[in-house]
Amino acid sequence: MPSLHRVRSLIGLLLGLLLAPTVRADEGSEFFIKRIKPILVERCLACHDPSTKKGGLDLSRGETARTGGETGPAVESGDPDASLLFEKVSAGEMPPRSPLDPADVSSLKQWIASGAKYAEEPLLARRAGPDWWSLRPIASPEVPSVRRGDWVRNPIDAFVLARLEKEGLTPSPEADRATLIRRLSFDLTGLPPTPLEVEAFQNDPRADAYDRLVDRLLDSPRHGERWSRLWLDAVRFGESHGYETNALRPNAWPYRDWAIRAFNTDLPLERFVAEQFAADQIPGADFLSQSATGFLVGGVHDVVGNQSPEGMKQQRADDLDDMITATGSAFLGLTVHCARCHDHKFDPIPQKDYYGLQAVFAGVEHNDRAVPAPDAEKRRKERPAIADALARVEVQLDGSEPLATPGSSVAARAPVHPGRNVERFTPVEAKRVRFTIRGTIGGSEPCLDELEIYSSGETPRNVALNASARASSTYEGNPIHALPHVNDGKYGNSWSWISREPGAGVVEVELPEKVAIDRVVWGRDREGKFLDRLASDYMIEVATDDAPWTVVASSEDRAKVGGEAVAAAETPERQALKAKRDELRARLAAGADTIPVYAGTFATPGPTYLLRRGDPMSPGEEVAPSGLTSLRPRLVLSTNAPEAERRMALARWIADRENPLPPRVMVNRVWHGHFGKGIVATPGDFGFNGDRPSHPELLDWLARSFLDNGGRLKPIHRLIVTSAAYRQSSQLNESGIAVDRDNRLLWRASPRRLEAEAIRDAVLATSGKLDLRRGGPGYSLWEPNTNYVVVFKARNDLGPETYRRMIYQFKPRSQPDPTFGAFDCPDAAQVSPRRNSSTTALQALNLLNSRFILDQSAAFAQRLANEAGDDPGRQIRLAFPLAFGRDPTEAEMASALPLVIEHGASALARAIFNANEFLYVR
């Protein structure tokens, strides 16, 4: 029996057909433009345009519509009932999965009956359909036959040459060996070859000399340092939170090290995906693998937040949108986030698919996660002795703190500090201790990261640890600021208590038994990240079961924050103790058996709802975790699927061999890195608004090869760089320019400017100052500060610790490298699948006058003096091979010699660092 909805649709269709007026000839054009064109463009051409022609049918022109496709003519002018187009749409068979409204079917019948004339043509599709080129299964194309078979080194060349021959073009000759080794070295490692390496390659008579060079560079640990940078751009890696405070993420660096290792070890696609989505669920995953989930929380995050219900929901929705955006762009090459508020306007991604992905990520939270250290067992054994030594030193230091004198107005003690404040008093028996806050810096709700109460005597201990605690009020809506954190033994904002009352709050700790105490130690954030919410007006009281409260310490005798400093009674002994304390604290922090990593935490997710117009306050139907319905295989989980299962299932779905997008996206990214432009020029958008592939069969052939090699990228690198297409020279020819000015068909090698990282690294390599140490926290170019809103002021003292490769530079958002940020570095605020390559005056000025360039020019000059002596001619003859991989010409010698004689070799170095030949590979 037909459903009520079906019956109503049929009634609507019949009424529309019976009551619709006929279309007069003079109204035909207007009717077509207003009614028919939108139907064909928005509902039909995604599958039936000239490039797609599903079933052989092209509806973009009247002639091709009448000719029809594999099943015959689509339109019989004047006869709707004999028209296959009308038959399919009226039966609800087309468009697939989303039939036309009855009114649209009626309009099509009128149009066909009046002659099916196109008032304009060709019509252009406005969106992709489920049969869009990138969504189809990966084909196994035959390697084409070409006339110039002698030019072909591997199948890549056959595909490239077939297009060139079709357009009447010929490839360029092979580049010389000096050009090839420089191009190859920068492409595979991001570093220039040394003069000795250039000489050895030029003089290598072996037939496989080039292949040996490729293998050596692919095996170099520098390979991962170069290629991970492209990935980090694509996944918006940054080391600060963004937004107005732009607070730092000092524990984000392990994800960067994981990415470097992943590219060096050529991690297979299945593992590459699984570790980034669910390494915490992979047995035996080591420290760096566990850190890979930093991908999920790699984007911006508002640490300040908004405490209104609407604001908190909006922030959460924004965080999840960031995860969806990065996943869609980096792995699928689709702008999935465009379906947040409505069905995607251009790609076959319904809004429900967006919220299916949101349900997958619904349990992921921005936060540090404790990851087992690589040497956890050793650290575990050493830690108790370090902790005991630290406790003894702190007792000695605390013993020299002045006694609190509550009621005194004399500022005898130092101002309160966000870190560690010691309240020392004459020993007193206590069963309860009360900390009452009456004011804070700025008047905000007070925060305590830990409240410690120490027993007196020779072996003091923190008797407050995990004791019963009560509070006057607790900050709502954020579990990381719950009351149990006030005495759980953990330091830092992430394990703190915050009052709900601005400028006030009370915490009371009831001890397990009555005990003599002589110290209370407290802090706002002993990790030193936050300075707000600091108690400035307070008192500390103690009581036993049968006695009233007694004040033992207060803020009254402390100097005011920002006021006149209190002279510290520093002695050599106290200074030595402080140094020892700092050393032990550092050892203890570094010796934990876990290391905090900004890799996200995971909680049981609640239900996910489709949000009407993307509004978090307008929930619609509940949505189950899922993938994209336009892709095979299908991924749909139950609404109560466990959190970890959701992420693992998504990882398996992305890496499934049937999913056509990730292999295409990954090999295209490699092609983009080697040629400066991908086969698809938009590496993050394979949808309707993205570029169409210049060599679609080649893209599929590479994707199939990638899968056949276990989802590993190094075989793709090797295929590309050993091809004749890659090894061409960059020389121009008029026929190539006339037919293909942008060189999309690859009739030559396009000269490319180096990325900012390669330029900086090349400067350091040339000056002899490059530090090749790998891994660990990055170096910073910024002066340290503890402002609530982080202020980035560039350091002037860029010493040797900053001479590591730029991949290891601490990367805050919205604060590019003062010198090399001008060279189109992404600011990490959003995904950056590709970089621009601009030419600006600021670039030239930075390379001429920046402190870094001046320092490295002096270092380069010193290197020339050390290795070539004082003779200017010998210095010049050494400088050119170091910088360009070749000897200077006679004209260059003639120009450089007076410059060095008059201004020194550092002037020559500055000129070299500004030369196009230094900044470009050709």
Side-chain angles (χ1 to χ4, degrees), residues 177 201 204-215 727:
R177 283 199 169 191
F201 178 58
D204 191 339
R206 293 173 292 187
D208 63 346
Y210 185 85
D211 293 335
R212 288 172 177 267
L213 174 62
V214 169
D215 289 340
R727 294 164 69 165

Side-chain angles (χ1 to χ4, degrees), residues 315-453:
Q315 179 181 347
R316 180 61 179 156
D318 291 343
D319 283 345
L320 293 171
D321 181 72
D322 169 75
M323 299 174 201
I324 294 169
T325 300
T327 300
S329 175
F331 290 102
L332 303 175
L334 292 176
T335 55
V336 182
H337 56 286
C338 292
R340 180 177 181 177
C341 303
H342 45 69
D343 290 351
H344 201 296
K345 294 295 186 184
F346 303 102
D347 297 334
I349 306 173
Q351 189 184 16
K352 190 172 182 179
D353 283 5
Y354 175 91
Y355 288 97
L357 284 173
Q358 189 184 92
V360 172
F361 299 123
V364 181
E365 298 282 353
H366 274 262
N367 215 333
D368 285 339
R369 187 172 80 246
V371 176
D375 55 346
E377 187 59 34
K378 178 185 176 185
R379 292 165 174 244
R380 198 173 295 118
K381 292 178 180 178
E382 294 176 347
R383 191 167 58 251
I386 300 173
D388 288 345
L390 176 60
R392 289 193 297 271
V393 170
E394 287 186 334
V395 167
Q396 290 177 274
L397 275 170
D398 291 351
S400 62
E401 288 283 340
L403 289 172
T405 53
S408 171
S409 60
V410 177
R413 296 195 296 151
V416 292
H417 187 272
R420 188 173 187 271
N421 298 285
V422 179
E423 312 287 345
R424 195 167 74 90
F425 41 84
T426 304
V428 59
E429 284 197 335
K431 182 70 166 58
R432 292 176 294 155
V433 176
R434 185 165 66 188
F435 193 105
T436 302
I437 300 169
R438 299 171 298 203
T440 60
I441 303 297
S444 55
E445 298 89 345
C447 174
L448 293 176
D449 74 340
E450 193 72 10
L451 183 62
E452 300 168 333
I453 303 167

Side-chain angles (χ1 to χ4, degrees), residues 796-872:
N796 291 320
D797 57 330
L798 298 180
E801 77 282 358
T802 68
Y803 294 166
R804 300 173 69 193
R805 295 197 69 175
M806 193 171 168
I807 187 71
Y808 297 113
Q809 186 181 108
F810 185 85
K811 187 175 178 61
R813 301 182 200 278
S814 305
Q815 288 294 333
D817 180 300
T819 301
F820 297 96
F823 289 88
D824 306 297
C825 278
D827 69 357
Q830 56 190 352
V831 296
S832 300
R834 59 178 175 173
R835 296 188 181 188
N836 295 324
S837 184
S838 64
T839 302
T840 68
L842 186 59
Q843 294 167 353
L845 291 171
N846 285 358
L847 287 180
L848 195 64
N849 300 318
S850 69
R851 180 76 264 165
F852 176 83
I853 290 296
L854 293 176
D855 290 345
Q856 295 312 310
S857 296
F860 189 16
Q862 187 61 52
R863 179 182 186 181
L864 297 177
N866 293 342
E867 298 180 22
D870 295 333
D871 179 71

Side-chain angles (χ1 to χ4, degrees), residues 218-221 223-224 227 258-273 275 666-667 670 705-706 709-719:
L218 281 173
D219 290 341
S220 167
H223 173 74
W227 280 88
W258 171 85
I260 293 171
R261 187 180 72 173
F263 284 96
N264 274 334
T265 59
D266 206 10
L267 208 61
L269 178 66
E270 183 177 3
R271 183 81 181 198
F272 184 75
V273 177
E275 291 191 358
M666 294 299 284
V667 299
V670 175
S705 178
F706 173 67
N709 280 285
R712 296 181 181 274
L713 287 176
K714 283 190 177 182
I716 303 301
H717 284 287
R718 188 176 285 105
L719 274 168

Side-chain angles (χ1 to χ4, degrees), residues 10 22 129 151 259 341 355 481 493 557 650 685 715 734-735 780 807 826:
L10 290 172
T22 57
W151 185 75
C341 303
Y355 288 97
H481 299 307
N493 185 70
D557 62 337
L650 181 66
D685 189 359
E734 293 300 324
S735 59
S780 178
I807 187 71

Side-chain angles (χ1 to χ4, degrees), residues 500-703:
R500 187 171 66 242
E501 185 179 354
V506 178
V507 173
E508 181 181 330
V509 176
E510 184 169 352
L511 306 176
E513 58 186 7
K514 187 165 59 175
V515 64
I517 63 172
D518 63 3
R519 268 184 302 152
V520 171
V521 179
W522 62 277
R524 181 267 178 266
D525 175 21
R526 275 175 251 194
E527 291 181 339
K529 298 179 183 177
F530 296 93
L531 307 180
D532 63 338
R533 305 184 185 278
L534 175 61
S536 58
D537 183 5
Y538 61 89
M539 68 176 177
I540 299 172
E541 302 164 283
V542 302
T544 58
D545 290 333
D546 54 356
W549 290 104
T550 301
V551 178
V552 294
S554 73
S555 56
E556 294 172 316
D557 62 337
R558 285 191 179 274
K560 301 301 180 185
V561 175
E564 187 176 345
V566 175
E570 289 296 300
T571 64
E573 292 79 9
R574 184 172 169 83
Q575 290 176 342
L577 283 171
K578 282 187 173 181
K580 184 66 174 176
R581 177 199 61 191
D582 294 344
E583 176 203 341
L584 290 169
R585 282 181 179 175
R587 287 178 59 193
L588 195 62
D593 55 2
T594 61
I595 297 176
V597 177
Y598 202 84
T601 54
F602 311 109
T604 301
T608 295
Y609 299 100
L610 187 149
L611 303 181
R612 300 185 185 94
R613 301 176 303 282
D615 182 358
M617 304 307 291
S618 299
E621 63 177 298
E622 185 175 357
V623 178
S626 67
L628 302 183
T629 53
S630 57
L631 284 174
R632 299 295 183 274
R634 288 291 182 87
L635 170 64
V636 181
L637 302 174
S638 67
T639 55
N640 61 354
E643 191 281 328
E645 181 183 326
R646 300 180 185 207
R647 290 181 287 118
M648 284 297 294
L650 181 66
R652 287 192 294 268
W653 176 76
I654 288 174
D656 193 292
R657 285 180 65 92
E658 290 187 41
N659 190 334
L661 282 172
R664 287 183 175 128
V665 170
M666 294 299 284
V667 299
N668 186 70
R669 186 173 288 115
V670 175
W671 190 275
H672 173 86
H674 286 303
F675 288 98
K677 185 174 288 186
I679 295 174
V680 179
T682 51
D685 189 359
F686 280 35
F688 181 80
N689 283 340
D691 185 49
R692 308 301 185 266
S694 60
H695 299 76
E697 294 83 7
L698 173 56
L699 181 64
D700 271 15
W701 187 89
L702 287 170

